[in-house]
Amino acid sequence: MTTTPTPPPDLRAADGVPIEEKAPSRWVPVGRFTMSVLRMPSGFVGVLVLVMFIGLAVLAPLFIHPSDLSVTQASGPLLAPPQKGYPLGTDQAGRSVLDLVIWGSRTSLAIGILATFGTMLLGAGIGLVAGHYEGRPGRFLMHVTDWFIALPSLPLAIALAAVIGQGATSITIAIVVTSWTATARLVRAQTLAVEARPFVERARALGATDNQLIMRQILPNVMPLILVSSTLTVAGAILAEATLTFLGLGDPTSVSWGSMLNNAFMQGAVTAGAWWYLIPPGVAILVIVLGFTLVGRAVEHVLNARVQAR
Amino acid sequence: MTLPMAATERRTRTEPLLDVRDLTVTYRSGKDPVYAARGVDISLAAGETLGMAGESGSGKTTVAMSLLRLLPAETTVTGEIRFRGEDLLEANWGRMRAVRWAEASVVFQGAMSALNPVQTVGDQIVEPILLHEKVGEKAATARARDLLDSVGVPSRRVTSYPHELSGGQRQRVMMAMALACDPDLVIADEPTTALDVIVQAQILSLLTELVRERGISLIMISHDLSVLASTCDRIAVMYAGRLVETGPSYDVIGAPLHPYSRALAGAFPTLGDPTSRLAPGGLAGDPPDLREQIDGCPFAPRCPEVEDRCRSGRIPLVAQGDRAAACVHVTGYEQAVGHG
Amino acid sequence: MTVGVKLEAPTVSGPAEGSERSDFWPYLARKVGAALVSFFMLLVVGFVIFSLMPADPVSALTRGRPTSEAQMTHLRHELGLDQPLWERFLTFVGHTVTGNLGYSYEYHQPVSTLIADRLWPTLLLMGTSTLISIWLGMWLGIRAGWRAGSTLDRSASAVSLALWSVPTFWLGLILLVVFGSGTVAGIPAIFPAGGMETHGTAGGLNPQHILDVGWHLVLPCLTLVAVIFAQYVTIMRSSIIDERGNPYLMTARAKGLRDEVVRRRHAVPNALLPTVTVIFLQIGAMIGGAITVEVVYSWPGLGYLTFTALRIPDLQLLEGTFIIFSAAVIVCNLIADLLYRALDPRVRRQ
């Protein structure tokens, strides 16, 4: 791809109809888009799941009291199977597992979404730059991306989190550092594809600066891909958070699905056969990951259909 | 090692080798059926060469592939395909697989992708031999080498992979492969497309020679009439899935009966005839959409000699000696229709 | 009608044969060179993470143990922390390539010894799981791709998706609690609750020991396989689907071969080419799963070692395992490249 200015291409097709006179509409009308996604069975189920989970997570403080979550103040029977008042049983401290699962969704979702945001920022940023400045900087960035990909993610995440210290921040950073490469590659490929289109060439010929090009022409057209990529990334981030917290790298005082499983494991729920403590957090993770994945696929499908219809 | 059947042996059989009647092929593309071939009749004697001409989408490849039932499972094929008296459309799959290659083989177009990239050329020639005949691998490989020799490829290439050969060599390999089991019929689908002119001429003369030597019948498919003229005894012209003209090749090209054949013959400069290059007869418009059932002559929208009676009813092939054409202007049309 | 008459003599010779073999050595050199560069970058990353980032490794090491200032200064000197950065890096590189991966203060052993001890169990677990996953994944993937859209295909996809969405360690926990604890739904503890060997059994290659290890291997292997085989199904399936459109399959069918033979002898070998390389590339992705499985089942391998190193955290040990894991991935990627070239007759030519 050249960056030398070409004379403005003749933007009329043979029969005089102008082609791609302006950049395609920037923001795909959100309402129509959502409807298309909901029309697909996978999209519908996914969105339903997400709405439920996120809704519960947000509303949790309304019906879960801090004393329910406190190890010292919990009043239920210790490590008891499901029974009246405790639909999912209790943990070793007597806390209701159901309460824990709902409360735990807050941390898991928060870290998942935050980490994804960071991943998108870093990955899309690098991808855009690498795609736009295709020469030396682009290739250099791609080399960096390529050997980053070669580093196995869990050992890297463990290394980072261990060094930074336990806690939500280190987990978030670890996830960002291990996930950005996939997004960078995708975004770079899409940037290259978008840059090859006529309206970009026209804008460049008319003297648009790099900044303007990126913000006005390229980014809006790469955004849909970033959107799809982010839903799938959240799924991965939640899984990663659960794993890292399970391994003991999370904040010991906060409740998350991973920490529940860590507690269960470390304190012998396995040998005690406390299946009610082990199953719910995992099922919660499974369901929400499926939710994000299904939504991501539905969004991808709808976007592909639009691209093909053009 | 069995020797290829002598040409004389083959030609002594009197009934037609291939007798296709009312062949109709309908594809299912999504929800719409595509009428790729309608009511096609073909007859081929032993040792005879037939060229099938027509533009892309005319149905010539469809008809050829349907002979060995190589079309996808969702395709509906009706009619009769009598090969040596046996209706292949009624045969069970075991019989079909036995007929394939051993009695009728195919030279596909685009030899680069029609050959398995990770198998040696020798293995690919040997494969059908081992499948259809009771010979050992050594004998089969020896035959493969002979076959390569007979098509002009050095026999040491038996251990080469397809990508190591040139385009012309690969096409020769395809021919050697097609002859491996000494079939009675070879179907060559655009065997020279994508080859340059000199190689094209070599391939064509090689094919003609091999086929004549062994008395094999040949059906050659091409959009290039001049290629067919130089290789085939008879030509069948197809348009929009229908047969519009058949006859001896020189007649069909020199004095075409059907307006479409006329346009086709005019569109190609004749090899060696410089004046024909200056007057190509191009045709305006496009072939009809095969998803629709067409009433009347399919060529009517583009025909310079169209009349009202062309647009409705079925226009049958009208015989004129050993020629036939499906056109209202053919002498004897009224009588043929009157009797029908 | 083709135009453009080429004025070459009508020969039937093609490109020269035998040129492929001589290209191998430059190719090998290039790929090994790239791998070495990756390894060097790995050392840089390792150095940055473990030597530069921690605020003060010495205080981390001596946390909880009463140490005087003098002792800490001495420790710093011993660890080379008072040297300039580039010198530390060079020492680090030098040590690493000669096999000195530091000293674990928690275990009181050189890191390399610890790693050497735990290497075999990890190899056993990952090796067995990989082999089973490949076999299962390919078997299912080939059939799912050959008849894309069939019930088999769609159920395989659904199962793959579900298994991907499950955290590996959780699956392990569930299997362990159901089959290893004997406390759920009356199911007896068929499999051990962890570890690699029953305490007290004699080691060595005797049948009893082998059986014992095998019995301990079942659940961890099952867990790991469940999560990773889906990858192989997907890969094999797409490869087959890609191959299906190819004309040479039509040629094979026209020869009178049966559908299974066409699939097995023609489609699969071509589809295998990309699959084989991906298998090696996947090993990197599997390491995460192996680590968590080892933790859940207390399988005494490198993953479990990493986990125990987290507790202090024992940075030298963590660094050692990090380097080993990453180096393994680099080696696998190299093998993938070389293997692809060895297998594909077309690539050999370049």
Side-chain angles (χ1 to χ4, degrees), chain B residues 227-305:
Chain B
V227 160
L228 296 177
S230 54
T231 349
C232 302
D233 301 326
R234 297 176 59 82
I235 288 187
V237 181
M238 288 196 65
Y239 183 78
R242 287 174 189 70
L243 212 47
V244 296
E245 181 164 356
T246 64
S249 38
Y250 285 119
D251 290 337
V252 171
I253 292 186
L257 291 174
H258 194 283
Y260 176 65
S261 322
R262 234 170 275 148
L264 205 59
F268 292 106
T270 318
L271 266 178
D273 179 3
T275 54
S276 69
R277 277 185 167 268
L278 304 168
L283 262 182
D286 294 312
D289 186 348
L290 292 174
R291 280 175 295 194
E292 293 170 7
Q293 304 243 29
I294 300 164
D295 199 19
C297 178
F299 191 57
R302 300 161 85 182
C303 183
E305 299 162 46

Side-chain angles (χ1 to χ4, degrees), chain A residues 149-261:
Chain A
I149 291 180
L151 297 173
S153 17
L154 191 57
L156 180 59
I158 289 177
L160 279 170
V163 156
I164 300 176
Q166 274 184 321
T169 335
S170 69
I171 290 187
T172 313
I173 294 179
I175 297 177
V176 170
V177 171
T178 48
S179 325
W180 67 269
T181 51
T183 312
R185 269 192 166 174
L186 268 176
V187 169
R188 172 179 177 265
Q190 182 73 350
T191 308
L192 289 177
V194 167
E195 298 229 345
R197 298 206 331 228
F199 72 90
V200 172
E201 218 178 303
R202 180 176 193 258
R204 188 178 276 126
L206 290 177
T209 62
D210 279 322
N211 220 16
Q212 288 173 328
L213 271 176
I214 292 183
M215 294 311 294
R216 298 223 201 109
Q217 321 289 359
I218 300 174
L219 196 56
N221 284 285
V222 178
M223 217 26 125
L225 182 74
I226 295 183
L227 199 68
V228 174
S229 178
S230 56
T231 45
L232 299 173
T233 309
V234 178
I238 292 180
L239 280 173
E241 182 273 329
T243 310
L244 290 172
T245 316
F246 172 72
L247 292 175
L249 291 165
D251 182 353
T253 54
S254 78
V255 177
S256 77
W257 293 327
S259 76
M260 288 176 71
L261 290 167

Side-chain angles (χ1 to χ4, degrees), chain C residues 117-171:
Chain C
D117 284 341
R118 313 300 168 100
L119 188 59
W120 159 243
T122 300
L123 286 177
L124 179 62
L125 177 61
M126 283 183 73
T128 324
S129 307
T130 308
L131 288 175
I132 298 179
S133 304
I134 292 174
W135 182 82
L136 191 60
M138 299 219 305
W139 189 90
L140 204 55
I142 291 175
R143 281 158 184 74
W146 193 245
R147 296 186 190 284
S150 64
T151 334
L152 175 68
D153 182 31
R154 276 175 299 167
S155 11
S157 299
V159 169
S160 299
L161 176 60
L163 287 176
W164 182 85
S165 313
V166 165
T168 320
F169 69 89
W170 180 72
L171 189 60

Side-chain angles (χ1 to χ4, degrees), chain B residues 12-59:
Chain B
T12 47
R13 305 205 183 127
T14 46
E15 83 271 1
L17 178 71
L18 181 68
D19 192 12
V20 177
R21 294 193 202 150
D22 199 31
L23 182 66
T24 303
V25 178
T26 314
Y27 287 115
R28 301 234 139 248
S29 101
K31 300 190 185 97
D32 309 318
V34 177
Y35 304 98
R38 317 269 283 140
V40 175
D41 296 330
I42 294 176
S43 178
L44 192 66
E48 193 179 16
T49 49
L50 172 71
M52 294 192 60
E55 54 197 291
S56 317
S58 57

Side-chain angles (χ1 to χ4, degrees), chain B residues 66-88:
Chain B
S66 67
L67 297 178
L68 287 176
R69 295 170 73 183
L70 287 171
L71 297 172
E74 318 82 57
T75 322
T76 323
V77 182
T78 57
E80 274 180 21
I81 299 179
R82 290 196 172 276
F83 187 72
R84 287 220 221 97
E86 179 189 357
D87 185 1
L88 292 180

Side-chain angles (χ1 to χ4, degrees), chain B residues 154 156-157 159-160 164-165, chain C residues 14-21:
Chain B
R156 67 172 192 282
R157 290 300 207 160
T159 49
S160 299
E164 295 170 346
L165 305 173
Chain C
E17 312 144 57
S19 53
E20 318 92 52
R21 308 292 161 179

Side-chain angles (χ1 to χ4, degrees), chain C residues 37-50:
Chain C
V37 170
S38 297
F39 185 66
F40 181 73
M41 298 313 306
L42 162 64
L43 292 182
V44 170
V45 170
F47 184 70
V48 165
I49 295 180
F50 289 98

